[in-house]
Amino acid sequence: MDNALIAAYRTTDYRVRLAQGGWASIGIDAPVPLSLRDLIGVHTWAFITAWNPFSQMRSRAQNHAAQQALLAALRRLLTTIAVRPAIGVGKGWREPSFFVIGPSLAETDALAQQFQQNAYVHGLADGYARLRLSSDQPPRGQAG
């Protein structure tokens, strides 16, 4: 994965649909928005998608099918507390996503690999949002 792609991930606006309407925006290396803190509580959370595996464009039908499979996998996890609709908005692109509360890093890493995602965003409680590289090849973990 090249630096330009990591930079694109880092500048993406990660938007979570709020139950009362509107959106909360998550930024990499920024604190979780106040509007999400009550929902998150003391739990881990992640912002993940199944769209465009390895950042390669796929058809809408392929992306939709993969996203439905990801949602089913998230709901099967015993640690999942909540799943909210979300969308990642970058320069010239948008990807439907999920904001999920509860799964561990290991569980989210496994899903990111299963759905061939280069990275996802995660955090703990009301801490900072971090970009996590999900390749099964070293280096793996936080993007600097």
Side-chain angles (χ1 to χ4, degrees):
M1 186 173 2
D2 65 25
N3 289 336
L5 191 53
I6 291 173
Y9 295 152
R10 294 183 65 75
T11 60
T12 294
D13 183 12
Y14 298 94
R15 299 177 187 171
V16 179
R17 184 76 172 147
L18 299 173
Q20 67 273 23
W23 300 88
S25 289
I26 297 172
I28 302 300
D29 297 331
V32 171
L34 289 174
S35 54
L36 293 175
R37 290 185 184 180
D38 285 342
L39 179 64
I40 295 168
V42 298
H43 305 285
T44 58
W45 59 266
F47 190 107
I48 190 168
T49 189
W51 276 59
N52 300 322
F54 300 125
S55 296
Q56 300 298 310
M57 296 296 289
R58 291 176 95 188
S59 73
R60 186 170 186 80
Q62 289 173 310
N63 282 324
H64 181 72
Q67 194 76 346
Q68 291 304 107
L70 173 59
L71 179 58
L74 288 167
R75 289 182 171 157
R76 282 192 300 272
L77 292 176
L78 297 177
T79 55
T80 298
I81 295 166
V83 179
R84 302 282 316 144
I87 189 164
V89 180
K91 292 182 181 180
W93 59 270
R94 302 166 73 86
E95 288 184 347
S97 303
F98 296 114
F99 180 75
V100 60
I101 300 167
S104 68
L105 276 177
E107 290 170 317
T108 312
D109 281 348
L111 288 172
Q113 288 178 19
Q114 178 183 343
F115 290 93
Q116 301 175 325
Q117 297 300 302
N118 288 326
Y120 64 91
V121 180
H122 74 98
L124 174 61
D126 62 356
Y128 283 69
R130 302 293 185 208
L131 181 64
R132 184 161 175 88
L133 304 181
S134 53
S135 169
D136 60 355
Q137 301 298 317
R140 179 169 149 182
Q142 304 303 357

